[in-house]
Amino acid sequence: GRSDGTGSSLPDCSHACGPCTPCKRVMVSFKCSVAESCPIVYRCMCNGRFYHVPSK
Amino acid sequence: MANSLQLHLALLLHLLHLLHRTHSEFTMIMPDSSALVDAPQTGFSALAHTNPDEQLAVYEIMAATGNSWASTIPDVCRGRWHGIECMPDSLSVYHVVSLSFGALSDDTAFPTCDAAGATLSPAVLRLPHLRSIFFYRCLSGNPQPIPSFLGRLAPSLRSLVLRENGHVGPMPQELGNLTALRVLDLHENRLSSSIPSTISYLNHLQLLDLSGNQLAGAIPELRSTSLSVLDLNRNRLHGQIPPSLSKCESLIKIDLSRNQLTGPIPDSLASLKELILLDLSHNSLSGSLPCSRGTGYPSLRALILNGNAMNAALIPGECFAGMPDLNTVIFSGMGLEGPVPESMGEMPSLRVLHLDGNKLNGSIPESFRGLEKLSELRLDGNRLTGRIPFGRETIWRMGGKLRVSNNLGLCFDMGLGGEALETMEAITYCNPETVADGEWESGRTITKHLSAVSAGVRISSTSSSAATLAAAVLQKLLLMVGILQVLMG
């Protein structure tokens, strides 16, 4: 169907770690106190290194 | 008592919490165990593919920066990385709209460049839908001029950022062909020659940052009514500030500091209704200070003019009356003369005021007591006299950020105590007898003192050197007597 490309989607990490493979999507949480809700972000990860997820 | 203990505990807990936060980084890592797979999650048609010609161009551009791994990706707009953005057209064909390079931080890293051999490939010309090019610290190991072919980039290009990128030589005048540009950022390169006049064709420009280069010549005419940030600081620009700059009515920041600009600050700038920051420091500007004159500069928060020797300029009485948000005024080392206007004490937002290294005379206005937000005041190195009008609380709050040394005869109320005096080197207590007058004038004070204390000795207050010396000694003695009186009584 027709799409205008708006909205968001889950990041696809398959080619997001440059020459490093395999590149997997992980969720990363910030350490925070019990009272707060902890923000969670996606990162791509390969061989213990983080890579930013692709932009839209 | 119990209340204050509670307060202290709360504060301590808060501090511990803050400490804890600053040490925390992102630690908990979870594999993304949702049912969704690591497959293209495009949100639009699974049939969409990158335009083949653009795909080849991307391979070339990536290889030229040392990132040839990209050539193994079957479809660059589906297998994207952080640093490429694509948009589909109505026929489900992807087009490349943005390419970025360089590590802004460990956490936000675009593909980095091969330090020795990276170049900006002319293959960018084969990306007809490109809106943004971003290179940060990318070609610095292999210094090159900014290629003039960039002027033939897609007419859709909105943002060209070549920041700290090691570029040498002149700015190509062909950049003036990129008439859709919103952002032109060439900060911290080694660009020389003058800014091409073709830049005035960029009618949609919102940000122009050419700071930290070696650009000479004059500031070109700028016409974009959308321009909000103009940053040309740390260059070798000379000539005058063009009065026509006031036509860029969206300007919120003008930073032309550390150039060789001459002439007056154009009155027309006062009509810029959105202007928040005006930094013209370290030039050779002359004439009078920029003043509100009722309605000018209504949004201004920071006015920074230090290091311009505008000799014999006065601070007009009602200069800042129409600037309710002004919180920072930096007028150091400008050869300013005359008094500090009483009206400066009525600026409701004032936080930082530097008037040091001028030739200001008269006393610190009593109205300065009303500046409740003031946190930094430099009046050192002037010719100010009279008493310092601040209370103990203000002096404690400002601490070392209150600088009043090296003035002719500033003095300090005894009632404020010795602790405060420590923060004000070389400032003496006011003579209690003269405090009532509100004016400290050394000659007169000494005469009074002599007649009051050392009966029979008469020294006229004319300035023969022996008399001056005797007066100074006596002044010190008096001060000591005063301190003793306070200590014992």
Side-chain angles (χ1 to χ4, degrees), chain A residues 1-6 8-20 23-36 38-45 49-56, chain B residues 17 20-21 23-34 36-45 69 72-75 78-90 92 106-110:
Chain A
R2 198 192 133 83
S3 78
D4 55 6
T6 57
S8 59
S9 54
L10 275 173
D12 168 18
C13 285
S14 42
H15 297 280
C17 303
C20 186
C23 187
K24 291 285 175 193
R25 183 174 63 225
V26 293
M27 286 164 89
V28 172
S29 170
F30 294 84
K31 203 195 272 178
C32 49
S33 76
V34 191
E36 293 174 77
C38 299
I40 289 177
V41 295
Y42 285 116
R43 286 286 182 273
C44 301
M45 199 174 164
R49 269 203 67 180
F50 289 109
Y51 296 84
H52 215 75
V53 297
S55 334
K56 189 180 149 44
Chain B
H17 185 66
H20 185 69
R21 297 262 331 224
H23 282 281
S24 70
E25 285 168 24
F26 50 96
T27 44
M28 287 168 59
I29 304 154
M30 300 161 271
D32 183 14
S33 55
S34 56
L36 301 153
V37 288
D38 263 337
Q41 303 284 330
T42 57
F44 25 87
S45 171
W69 51 267
T72 64
I73 301 173
D75 188 311
R78 289 166 69 84
R80 294 190 306 278
W81 58 92
H82 185 56
I84 184 170
E85 291 174 60
C86 302
M87 291 278 281
D89 64 16
S90 56
S92 289
D106 281 347
D107 191 45
T108 312
F110 299 121

Side-chain angles (χ1 to χ4, degrees), chain B residues 17 88 123 208 250 264 268 280 282 289 300 343 442 448:
Chain B
H17 185 66
L208 179 62
S250 303
S268 61
L280 306 174
H282 300 287
L289 296 174
L300 202 65
S343 59
S442 40
K448 262 190 190 175

Side-chain angles (χ1 to χ4, degrees), chain B residues 245-438:
Chain B
L245 210 53
S246 62
K247 289 176 190 159
C248 304
E249 54 195 30
S250 303
L251 276 166
I252 58 173
K253 167 179 167 176
I254 298 177
D255 187 348
L256 307 176
S257 60
R258 297 184 188 275
N259 278 289
Q260 294 152 22
L261 300 169
T262 51
I265 298 166
D267 286 339
S268 61
L269 298 187
S271 69
L272 293 168
K273 292 195 167 50
E274 317 282 330
L275 193 66
I276 290 175
L277 178 130
L278 180 61
D279 187 347
L280 306 174
S281 58
H282 300 287
N283 278 289
S284 302
L285 299 168
S286 55
S288 51
L289 296 174
C291 281
S292 173
R293 295 193 177 85
T295 56
Y297 299 106
S299 302
L300 202 65
R301 291 189 203 163
L303 179 57
I304 304 169
L305 302 176
N306 57 306
N308 286 285
M310 304 172 105
N311 280 315
L314 297 169
I315 307 175
E318 300 302 315
C319 192
F320 311 103
M323 309 179 189
D325 299 326
L326 195 62
N327 62 41
T328 302
V329 176
I330 312 285
F331 286 175
S332 314
M334 295 175 64
L336 298 176
E337 291 184 3
V340 180
E342 189 80 27
S343 59
M344 286 190 92
E346 287 145 27
M347 297 163 69
S349 309
L350 196 64
R351 289 172 192 275
V352 177
L353 176 60
H354 293 186
L355 296 172
D356 51 299
N358 285 296
K359 297 175 211 162
L360 297 166
N361 57 26
S363 57
I364 304 173
E366 281 293 320
S367 62
F368 271 40
R369 280 174 171 273
L371 292 169
E372 286 173 2
K373 293 183 178 165
L374 196 63
S375 59
E376 202 172 310
L377 177 63
R378 294 188 190 169
L379 297 169
D380 45 310
N382 278 289
R383 297 169 182 174
L384 297 168
T385 54
R387 51 191 275 184
I388 293 163
F390 298 111
R392 188 192 291 254
E393 199 181 308
T394 309
I395 285 163
W396 274 58
R397 177 164 48 84
M398 287 205 265
K401 295 201 167 170
L402 173 60
R403 298 195 196 167
V404 289
S405 60
N406 290 319
N407 275 289
L408 262 186
L410 277 182
C411 72
F412 192 70
D413 271 353
M414 223 171 251
L416 292 170
E419 311 96 319
L421 196 62
E422 284 172 31
T423 69
M424 290 189 226
E425 220 176 310
I427 302 293
T428 56
Y429 285 118
C430 304
N431 183 335
E433 286 176 45
T434 50
V435 166
D437 299 348

Side-chain angles (χ1 to χ4, degrees), chain B residues 51 71 99 175 339 461:
Chain B
N51 173 291
S71 306
L99 279 177
L175 294 181
S461 58

Side-chain angles (χ1 to χ4, degrees), chain B residues 434-481:
Chain B
T434 50
V435 166
D437 299 348
E439 285 283 327
W440 171 275
E441 201 231 301
S442 40
R444 195 178 54 195
T445 311
I446 288 150
T447 314
K448 262 190 190 175
H449 169 57
L450 285 172
S451 55
V453 182
S454 7
V457 184
R458 288 219 166 258
I459 301 171
S460 74
S461 58
T462 53
S463 56
S464 87
S465 64
T468 314
L469 187 68
V473 171
L474 278 164
Q475 192 186 347
K476 282 201 174 120
L477 273 171
L478 221 206
L479 182 71
M480 286 169 69
V481 170

Side-chain angles (χ1 to χ4, degrees), chain B residues 89-325:
Chain B
D89 64 16
S90 56
L91 303 169
S92 289
V93 176
Y94 276 123
H95 301 285
V96 178
V97 297
S98 165
L99 279 177
S100 304
F101 296 89
L104 285 166
S105 67
D106 281 347
D107 191 45
T108 312
F110 299 121
T112 48
C113 295
D114 165 35
T119 59
L120 206 173
S121 166
V124 288
L125 300 179
R126 284 154 44 205
L127 300 173
H129 300 272
L130 203 59
R131 290 185 187 175
S132 165
I133 295 183
F134 184 99
F135 279 75
Y136 174 71
R137 293 187 181 174
C138 204
L139 311 178
S140 22
N142 182 21
Q144 300 151 55
I146 294 176
S148 58
F149 66 69
L150 291 182
R152 289 186 278 126
L153 275 165
S156 56
L157 197 78
R158 291 177 174 215
S159 176
L160 178 61
V161 177
L162 304 171
R163 207 173 157 88
E164 298 180 43
N165 215 31
H167 288 297
V168 293
M171 276 174 71
Q173 60 174 20
E174 289 86 347
L175 294 181
N177 297 337
L178 300 170
T179 51
L181 269 191
R182 264 68 165 167
V183 172
L184 179 57
D185 181 344
L186 308 175
H187 165 83
E188 290 275 313
N189 285 288
R190 280 182 279 151
L191 300 171
S192 52
S193 302
S194 55
I195 303 171
S197 59
T198 54
I199 217 150
S200 65
Y201 301 140
L202 305 178
N203 279 332
H204 299 284
L205 214 52
Q206 292 170 4
L207 181 146
L208 179 62
D209 187 345
L210 307 176
S211 57
N213 281 289
Q214 295 154 23
L215 294 164
I219 297 172
E221 298 284 319
L222 295 165
R223 294 178 201 144
S224 170
T225 52
S226 318
L227 190 68
S228 60
V229 172
L230 175 64
D231 195 340
L232 305 177
N233 86 77
R234 282 179 298 126
N235 275 292
R236 297 169 185 174
L237 299 170
H238 43 84
Q240 302 202 1
I241 299 170
S244 62
L245 210 53
S246 62
K247 289 176 190 159
C248 304
E249 54 195 30
S250 303
L251 276 166
I252 58 173
K253 167 179 167 176
I254 298 177
D255 187 348
L256 307 176
S257 60
R258 297 184 188 275
N259 278 289
Q260 294 152 22
L261 300 169
T262 51
I265 298 166
D267 286 339
S268 61
L269 298 187
S271 69
L272 293 168
K273 292 195 167 50
E274 317 282 330
L275 193 66
I276 290 175
L277 178 130
L278 180 61
D279 187 347
L280 306 174
S281 58
H282 300 287
N283 278 289
S284 302
L285 299 168
S286 55
S288 51
L289 296 174
C291 281
S292 173
R293 295 193 177 85
T295 56
Y297 299 106
S299 302
L300 202 65
R301 291 189 203 163
L303 179 57
I304 304 169
L305 302 176
N306 57 306
N308 286 285
M310 304 172 105
N311 280 315
L314 297 169
I315 307 175
E318 300 302 315
C319 192
F320 311 103
M323 309 179 189
D325 299 326

